[in-house]
Amino acid sequence: AQTVTQSQPEMSVQEAETVTLSCTYDTSESDYYLFWYKQPPSRQMILVIRQEAYKQQNATENRFSVNFQKAAKSFSLKISDSQLGDAAMYFCAYRSAETSGSRLTFGEGTQLTVNP
Amino acid sequence: DAGVIQSPRHEVTEMGQEVTLRCKPISGHNSLFWYRQTMMRGLELLIYFNNNVPIDDSGMPEDRFSAKMPNASFSTLKIQPSEPRDSAVYFCASSFRGARGYTFGSGTRLTVV
């Protein structure tokens, strides 16, 4: 079974600074997808960024980018120019691409605080 | 596109009562997932459906929980009888073939007193 680990329960960053959230995962599969979801106090789960394991290029979405290290099974999220609205719980998630309609497995989450 | 629609948004019920949570997935999505979120256990998958068929219900905590998907546009999660330890946020999510991730509903916050 796949597992996802987020070793940082809490992180904080100053507004306009850069912060990196860590995620590691364990799998024996070679084809899969990785995601970062954001959950603000409204509790809505919002997809931030996705990465296909077969792609070597790291995904980027505006101020959000990932550092995907397949061999190390590491998938960190970098938030540049942090804004107050980035404050939220961030979840790393794994999904197999080898099984159609497979589940998302989530990490424990990292609570990000943005200080003005 | 209205997204994944869950109802009710909040539910407070007394222990022993039946609770039914509802979900309308995004039109065209063929997979539907029910998750439960608690502080202690994080996000847990309860059950998921592909093409309206239950694929994996190993996450359903006990026989008090049941889920149905009678058609592609509607699913229910029922708890009978409810217990205080069932208090949590229940999310429904849908997807199409997986590559693009899931779309989550706003969740139902269930409180059993």
Side-chain angles (χ1 to χ4, degrees):
Chain A
Q2 295 81 23
T3 59
V4 178
T5 302
Q6 294 176 249
S7 59
Q8 307 154 315
E10 298 177 344
M11 291 283 284
S12 63
V13 63
Q14 291 296 126
E15 194 175 5
E17 298 294 310
T18 296
V19 64
T20 298
L21 308 184
S22 301
C23 173
T24 58
Y25 57 95
D26 188 25
T27 184
S28 59
E29 298 177 335
S30 60
D31 196 12
Y32 50 86
Y33 308 104
L34 296 165
F35 307 88
W36 279 98
Y37 278 85
K38 168 185 177 181
Q39 187 179 38
S42 66
R43 83 169 180 244
Q44 180 71 48
M45 294 288 286
I46 302 166
L47 178 63
V48 174
I49 198 166
R50 72 176 68 87
Q51 175 80 41
E52 290 92 339
Y54 65 86
K55 290 187 177 179
Q56 293 185 341
Q57 186 174 5
N58 289 324
T60 300
E61 290 286 345
N62 300 314
R63 297 182 296 106
F64 298 87
S65 61
V66 299
N67 184 4
F68 173 48
Q69 301 290 328
K70 191 172 184 179
K73 296 181 182 175
S74 171
F75 183 61
S76 61
L77 175 69
K78 185 171 80 172
I79 306 174
S80 303
D81 185 25
S82 297
Q83 300 175 0
L84 296 178
D86 296 333
M89 181 73 85
Y90 286 81
F91 292 96
C92 179
Y94 171 103
R95 182 172 188 173
S96 171
E98 297 180 3
T99 306
S100 177
S102 59
R103 66 177 64 199
L104 267 178
T105 300
F106 287 91
E108 305 90 336
T110 297
Q111 182 67 51
L112 177 66
T113 301
V114 181
N115 300 309
Chain B
D1 186 352
V4 177
I5 300 173
Q6 289 188 247
S7 64
R9 184 161 174 80
H10 303 278
E11 176 79 28
V12 180
T13 190
E14 291 185 348
M15 182 174 62
Q17 296 297 307
E18 176 181 302
V19 176
T20 299
L21 311 181
R22 298 172 176 80
C23 176
K24 176 180 171 55
I26 290 175
S27 178
H29 281 192
N30 63 342
S31 296
L32 183 139
F33 305 81
W34 283 100
Y35 280 85
R36 178 171 69 176
Q37 185 178 31
T38 61
M39 289 294 292
M40 291 297 294
R41 301 176 67 88
L43 280 155
E44 304 174 276
L45 178 67
L46 300 177
I47 185 171
Y48 76 96
F49 298 82
N50 281 349
N51 299 315
N52 313 337
V53 177
I55 301 301
D56 184 352
D57 64 355
S58 60
M60 298 285 263
E62 14 186 310
D63 291 345
R64 298 184 296 105
F65 286 69
S66 63
K68 295 182 179 180
M69 191 165 187
N71 56 61
S73 60
F74 184 65
S75 177
T76 58
L77 178 67
K78 183 179 293 185
I79 308 172
Q80 180 185 20
S82 58
E83 298 182 2
R85 60 193 168 120
D86 301 331
S87 297
V89 178
Y90 291 81
F91 285 102
C92 175
S94 69
S95 75
F96 179 67
R97 297 199 177 165
R100 305 191 67 77
Y102 295 6
T103 302
F104 282 78
S106 299
T108 295
R109 179 174 295 280
L110 173 65
T111 304
V112 183
V113 298

